[in-house]
Amino acid sequence: MSWRTYRKFDAHVHVLPGERAAQFIASGGPDAAWSRCGTEDFLRRMDQYGIEKALLVPANDPYLYYQDPHETNRFLGGLVKAHPDRFCGFADVVDCGAYFVEHTPWILEEAVKEYGLCGLKIHPTNLHMDADDLRLVPVLRKAADLGVPVMFHANPCRLGFHDNCAPDKINRMIQIFPDLTVITAHLGGTKYLDALTGCTWADISYILPKLVEWHGLEQANRILRAFGPDRLIFGTDFPQGEYDVYFDILDRMDFTEEEIRRIAWENITKILTPEERT
């Protein structure tokens, strides 16, 4: 069987507001990656590639979404409400200086209780703080109290401040919050070995084609095998990830049908279903 035919839940997708998509189309043309981030465009792709559900995640980036995280969360919540069988979504927060510690827990609570979002996305680089920065403690405590998972962007791909999303920093927060469900995005990026030894759940968004480019298919297969099918989550980082590329790579790996079901659907479903996490 091909990955195209399996039941799939893309657990890392960016769908942007219409005005943002229009800006990308105007600046980069209709074929540019981020020009394809509109809702209807992505729904068509879901049907084309057999993506049954998708997790919409923000980026803590006011330039991709909105300056006001309440507005971003209302937008994402609106998509979930309009397409409950296709979408679920994580909440946004943005860098608001000295107000971050005080405001973000209540932004998250509002997003969960009023807008129907089911988790939190933390992008340390866009927040201008390390993944283990103590300013994150109140909002992570709120996530744990609400029983919702947290996804950390983890792609320390360059020198300098990009290292603030390194998996070893996420590992420290996992130790501080043992009652918090954490997803490490992008398999930890170039520091995937740190994610392997410490982090819990890990998605393969963005990073899978890079692993093949850097190490070849066999070694990429070994890296995913080291994490194991009980920890891996299928995701693409759409619109940056191409489904054809992902399916071509995954079809040449040695996962069994049962393992594929876990990676493609069951693991993320378990994370997003509180009664199944206990």
Side-chain angles (χ1 to χ4, degrees):
M1 289 179 66
S2 165
W3 266 77
R4 289 167 175 79
T5 63
Y6 283 97
R7 190 184 195 192
K8 295 179 291 296
F9 194 139
D10 189 338
H12 200 121
V13 168
H14 301 288
V15 171
L16 303 190
E19 59 268 37
R20 296 291 189 266
Q23 290 171 357
F24 280 109
I25 292 171
S27 62
D31 295 328
W34 283 96
S35 298
R36 304 172 299 170
C37 60
T39 304
E40 295 305 319
D41 191 340
F42 181 62
L43 284 167
R44 286 192 295 271
R45 292 174 191 276
M46 289 180 73
D47 293 337
Q48 178 184 355
Y49 290 103
I51 308 299
E52 190 168 326
K53 293 197 74 170
L55 175 57
L56 308 180
V57 294
N60 308 157
D61 185 345
Y63 301 101
L64 282 179
Y65 292 88
Y66 294 108
Q67 294 280 343
D68 183 351
H70 297 277
E71 192 171 357
T72 299
N73 292 335
R74 281 193 294 270
F75 164 72
L76 294 172
L79 292 181
V80 172
K81 185 177 181 179
H83 306 278
D85 296 330
R86 309 304 302 273
F87 293 152
C88 52
F90 277 10
D92 194 31
V93 291
V94 298
D95 179 14
C96 51
Y99 298 101
F100 185 88
V101 171
E102 181 179 354
H103 286 184
T104 51
W106 313 116
I107 292 171
L108 174 61
E109 184 166 19
E110 176 189 60
V112 171
K113 293 184 176 180
E114 295 190 24
Y115 304 142
L117 301 181
C118 60
L120 171 67
K121 172 68 180 297
I122 294 293
H123 194 304
T125 305
N126 289 345
L127 290 174
H128 311 291
M129 61 181 70
D130 287 357
D132 58 354
D133 193 302
L134 294 180
R135 287 173 290 180
L136 290 169
V137 166
V139 73
L140 296 180
R141 180 70 265 155
K142 177 61 70 172
D145 290 345
L146 290 169
V148 299
V150 175
M151 177 186 288
F152 276 89
H153 168 83
N155 189 21
C157 55
R158 302 177 205 144
L159 298 174
F161 69 91
H162 277 268
D163 195 58
N164 59 11
C165 60
D168 61 299
K169 299 179 186 296
I170 299 170
N171 294 340
R172 294 190 188 104
M173 282 307 195
I174 291 173
Q175 294 175 44
I176 293 171
F177 293 99
D179 56 340
L180 183 64
T181 300
V182 174
I183 302 169
T184 300
H186 317 308
L187 213 67
T190 57
K191 295 191 174 183
Y192 54 82
L193 289 177
D194 289 335
L196 172 65
T197 57
C199 296
T200 49
W201 304 97
D203 81 35
I204 60 173
S205 66
Y206 176 78
I207 196 65
L208 180 62
K210 292 293 184 183
L211 291 177
V212 175
E213 177 186 336
W214 298 333
H215 305 303
L217 180 71
E218 290 186 9
Q219 182 62 11
N221 196 155
R222 292 189 190 98
I223 292 168
L224 265 59
R225 273 274 169 215
F227 280 86
D230 291 326
R231 295 175 65 190
L232 292 174
I233 299 168
F234 173 69
T236 60
D237 204 14
F238 180 89
Q240 297 187 95
E242 296 278 358
Y243 287 116
D244 286 325
V245 173
Y246 265 75
F247 297 160
D248 178 63
I249 292 171
L250 291 166
D251 280 344
R252 291 183 288 148
M253 290 187 167
D254 63 2
F255 292 102
T256 67
E257 288 192 26
E258 174 58 33
E259 291 170 337
I260 291 171
R261 281 195 293 270
R262 276 180 263 168
I263 298 167
W265 183 268
E266 293 174 3
N267 290 343
I268 187 62
T269 302
K270 180 179 180 180
I271 290 169
L272 299 179
T273 308
E275 58 269 23
E276 293 191 17
R277 294 202 303 265
T278 58

